[in-house]
C-alpha cells in the first residue's frame, strides 16, 4: 500500500483517472493529492462513509477533487 499522499491518491482513483493523473507533472499530482487530503479531513459526510468503508470514502473524495479540479 502506498504511504505517500500522491500514491494514496492515485490508488483511490479508478483506473482511467489514475492513468490520466499519472501522466500529469508531479507538481500537479501533489496539488491534487493535497486537495484530496483536505477533502477527506473536511467533509463530515466522508467520515461516516470512512467508518463503513475507508476505500469508498477515499474514492469518493478523489472523485470530488477531480470533478472540481485543483481549486
Amino acid at each position: 500500500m502506498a504511504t505517500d499522499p500522491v500514491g494514496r491518491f492515485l490508488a483511490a482513483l479508478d483506473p482511467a483517472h489514475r492513468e490520466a493523473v499519472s501522466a500529469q507533472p508531479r507538481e500537479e499530482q501533489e496539488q491534487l493529492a493535497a486537495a484530496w487530503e483536505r477533502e477527506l479531513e473536511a467533509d463530515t459526510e466522508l467520515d461516516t462513509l470512512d467508518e463503513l468503508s475507508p476505500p469508498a470514502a477515499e474514492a469518493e473524495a478523489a472523485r470530488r477533487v477531480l470533478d472540481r479540479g485543483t481549486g
Side-chain angles (χ1 to χ4, degrees):
M1 175 177 225
T3 56
D4 72 294
V6 171
R8 288 181 49 238
F9 175 64
L10 291 173
L13 295 170
D14 63 77
H17 286 110
R18 185 177 309 124
E19 186 176 324
V21 171
S22 293
Q24 295 180 359
R26 179 69 182 191
E27 183 177 314
E28 289 180 34
Q29 292 177 27
E30 290 171 352
Q31 290 173 357
L32 288 168
W36 173 71
E37 287 187 320
R38 287 191 301 274
E39 183 75 20
L40 284 170
E41 291 173 3
D43 193 309
T44 56
E45 183 181 301
L46 289 175
D47 288 343
T48 302
L49 182 58
D50 188 49
E51 290 180 19
L52 299 173
S53 175
E58 291 182 349
E60 175 62 16
R63 184 193 62 77
R64 292 177 184 183
V65 166
L66 289 181
D67 282 352
R68 72 171 174 263
T70 57

